[in-house]
Amino acid sequence: MTTNLNINKKIYTLDLLGHETLLEVLRDTLGLTGTKTACNEAQCGACTVLINGKAVLSCIMLAKDVEGDEILTIEGLSAKGVLHPIQQAFLDQGAVQCGFCAPGFILSTKALLDKNPDPHLDEIKQALDGHICRCGGYLKIFEAVKQAGRELKRS
Amino acid sequence: MLLNPFTYHAPKTESEAAQLIANLADAKLIAGGTLAINILKSLKRNHSPTPSHVISLKKVTSIQGITLKDDKLLIGAMTKISDIIDSTIIGQYCPVLSIIGKNIATTQIKNMATIGGNITARFVWTDFQVPLVALGCDLHFLLKDDQQRIISAQDFFDQGARSQGLLTKISFKIPSKNEKFIYQRVPKRSKPDFPMFSMCFKYTVDNKRLTKTKIVMNDSCHFAKRIPSIEQNIDGLDLTSKTKTNILNKLDLSAVIGSMEDYKKTRMLLSFKDALQQMINAHDNESKY
């Protein structure tokens, strides 16, 4: 089945069978490996992408179901080689250890700050409640979100 | 591939979806996909048979959204949990649904899961069962050849939550200002976060007494149902009485406790006491002003 997917503002025309998850299409078909495969059971958040600005789990989403939607992956966040303020904040605050959970956290942060530019700590924790960091870097991550919020407000 | 092959169907209208459901007996329906896709993965991992057809309701846009019609509130079956939480209509007329939505899973799941999927998934522990029964909701189904069927939420769960056709919307009379709700959800001790049980209390205060009390509960073994024995226990409670809190020590939970483990009994008793205390406190606070 011919399927048009709008990923990072680019239209990909693919021939899909119908039973592929979005995560499989992103990584295996398109080589966009920034979105990670971890638990594959919607428990860890590593596969998070944004669909029409909302954080969703690509491991439990059929690729065919998002035809016509705007999909943002971690690859689409930076522009012309310049890191997005959220990515920069994560680096500045030391919020990236092994880095495996980072793309998911960063995209959920984008969804949060787009809706609420100045979140309280409780709001940050709630927005990121679908993510696990096995390295245990949560405090740094929360600081990174706050820094990113300040930077985005400034700009 | 994480999923076994299937034929993917994406109907765009309610009639098309209802016809597909009627014609494809073994088809798996996908609403938000938060339960269904993991089930399909699990079946494949266990080398169990998987459905040869999947019907995705994503494109049936007419069954999404929340509206008011006369004195009724209508929630489309494909309305996302996050939309219920953010809805100003729900916030104004039935905030208990927003509270329940906020307790469900994680942000990403809330952005994907639907209220229709939550109640038709045939899992006893799902969250929206108890408030829909407490609200006296009707569930609207579309069968093949555009036949309609309306069933009360109570009857639906009493019959084991067996869907017939396409669930299109949930409707209920807008609660009056006198009708109040308390929701209790006790999580299990371990992940994943399925509730041990959840309860919704609906009550009215009439002449300073609790009246028209509805108590609905579901747990890890039972679909949502009312508990008439406890409703009778507390209906008529005089909220001005100095001994009103004695009711907290007289609750007879034998009808629901059954063979529960001791820690569950304790949690349940505490939840009931907490809910009753909230009702009493709410009345006392209102009486001051």
Side-chain angles (χ1 to χ4, degrees):
Chain A
M1 288 183 283
T2 303
T3 308
N4 294 314
L5 295 180
N6 178 352
I7 302 172
N8 302 331
K9 297 188 178 148
K10 185 178 168 186
I11 305 291
Y12 293 86
T13 300
L14 305 168
D15 186 20
L16 297 182
L17 297 166
H19 59 273
E20 299 92 338
T21 63
L22 178 59
L23 181 62
E24 286 172 310
V25 169
L26 289 173
R27 291 183 56 87
D28 303 337
T29 308
L30 298 175
L32 296 170
T33 54
T35 308
K36 302 303 181 194
T37 306
C39 76
N40 249 325
E41 289 183 340
Q43 297 285 329
C44 72
C47 67
T48 298
V49 296
L50 300 191
I51 304 281
N52 300 331
K54 290 196 166 187
V56 299
L57 300 165
S58 60
C59 73
I60 53 167
M61 184 152 260
L62 294 178
K64 279 293 293 180
D65 274 351
V66 291
E67 191 171 17
D69 292 324
E70 285 183 12
I71 304 164
L72 180 69
T73 72
I74 191 68
E75 289 89 349
L77 205 55
S78 55
K80 295 176 186 171
V82 176
L83 291 179
H84 190 277
I86 298 174
Q87 292 170 306
Q88 190 61 54
F90 268 65
L91 290 178
D92 291 345
Q93 293 292 333
V96 181
Q97 296 186 58
C98 79
F100 205 79
C101 68
F105 266 107
I106 288 168
L107 285 172
S108 283
T109 300
K110 178 161 186 353
L112 167 67
L113 294 177
D114 283 350
K115 193 176 168 186
N116 179 0
D118 192 14
H120 299 302
L121 181 59
D122 282 345
E123 290 168 322
I124 295 172
K125 287 180 180 178
Q126 190 165 29
L128 302 182
D129 62 0
H131 294 273
I132 295 173
C133 171
R134 195 62 183 85
C135 300
Y138 298 104
L139 293 181
K140 302 279 188 185
I141 290 169
F142 300 150
E143 290 303 318
V145 175
K146 287 183 193 167
Q147 177 186 317
R150 289 190 296 267
E151 291 294 325
L152 286 168
K153 256 182 19 181
R154 249 203 295 271
S155 59
Chain B
M1 290 284 176
L2 292 165
L3 301 173
N4 279 337
F6 51 72
T7 304
Y8 172 87
H9 304 269
K12 293 188 174 58
T13 67
E14 294 171 41
S15 293
E16 198 184 338
Q19 208 62 40
L20 280 168
I21 292 167
N23 294 342
L24 301 171
D26 86 325
K28 183 78 180 162
L29 269 184
I30 297 208
T34 52
L35 290 169
I37 301 291
N38 272 345
I39 289 170
L40 292 176
K41 286 181 187 177
S42 176
L43 288 171
K44 178 174 177 175
R45 273 200 305 272
N46 296 332
H47 306 286
S48 297
T50 52
S52 46
H53 295 271
V54 158
I55 303 169
S56 171
L57 300 176
K58 182 97 187 319
K59 307 288 184 206
V60 187
T61 53
S62 62
I63 58 173
Q64 297 172 22
I66 300 165
T67 51
L68 288 169
K69 189 176 178 186
D70 302 325
D71 63 342
K72 288 203 168 169
L73 207 151
L74 310 174
I75 306 176
M78 282 292 287
T79 304
K80 304 250 187 325
I81 308 298
S82 55
D83 292 334
I84 289 174
I85 293 167
D86 293 340
S87 164
T88 49
I89 295 176
I90 297 286
Q92 182 176 353
Y93 294 107
C94 197
V96 68
L97 293 180
S98 176
I99 292 168
I100 288 163
K102 285 176 186 168
N103 270 299
I104 291 176
T106 63
T107 300
Q108 291 96 318
I109 297 289
K110 291 182 187 72
N111 288 337
M112 300 170 74
T114 65
I115 187 169
N118 189 269
I119 62 173
T120 58
R122 299 201 71 209
F123 287 107
V124 290
W125 44 262
T126 54
D127 308 78
F128 277 105
Q129 293 181 35
V130 289
L132 296 192
V133 173
L135 281 162
C137 288
D138 284 328
L139 308 182
H140 299 247
F141 286 91
L142 184 66
L143 312 178
K144 69 175 183 179
D145 302 326
D146 289 337
Q147 291 174 62
Q148 310 244 357
R149 181 172 183 246
I150 299 174
I151 181 172
S152 72
Q154 180 68 80
D155 287 344
F156 178 71
F157 292 116
D158 283 346
Q159 292 167 25
R162 287 182 175 80
S163 294
Q164 289 180 17
L166 172 73
L167 176 66
T168 57
K169 60 178 178 263
I170 297 148
S171 68
F172 55 92
K173 195 160 175 277
I174 294 167
S176 69
K177 288 197 169 78
N178 289 338
E179 288 176 314
K180 304 190 191 295
F181 294 85
I182 291 172
Y183 174 70
Q184 296 270 357
R185 181 184 194 271
V186 177
K188 287 165 76 173
R189 288 185 294 187
S190 56
K191 292 284 183 184
D193 182 30
F194 301 147
M196 188 192 304
F197 57 85
S198 58
M199 296 187 281
C200 189
F201 296 73
K202 180 185 170 205
Y203 65 98
T204 307
V205 178
D206 188 14
N207 219 14
K208 300 187 173 88
R209 286 184 182 269
L210 287 180
T211 62
K212 299 180 193 168
T213 314
K214 264 191 192 176
I215 302 174
V216 187
M217 193 180 94
N218 67 339
D219 61 23
S220 52
C221 300
H222 304 97
F223 285 110
K225 59 183 177 183
R226 288 176 65 175
I227 314 170
S229 57
I230 302 177
E231 289 171 0
Q232 286 159 21
N233 228 199
I234 66 174
D235 226 21
L237 178 71
D238 181 356
L239 292 167
T240 60
S241 161
K242 286 184 181 147
T243 56
K244 62 194 171 211
T245 51
N246 287 352
I247 189 72
L248 299 175
N249 300 319
K250 288 182 188 170
L251 282 176
D252 177 11
L253 299 181
S254 53
V256 293
I257 286 177
S259 59
M260 273 187 185
E261 297 93 326
D262 283 343
Y263 79 93
K264 277 189 186 175
K265 288 181 195 176
T266 305
R267 293 302 302 267
M268 185 163 293
L269 191 59
L270 287 173
S271 291
F272 270 101
K273 285 187 176 182
D274 185 60
L276 277 174
Q277 191 67 63
Q278 284 184 52
M279 287 183 209
I280 291 169
N281 290 348
H283 172 264
D284 287 348
N285 286 339
E286 282 172 11
S287 304
K288 282 180 196 165
Y289 301 104

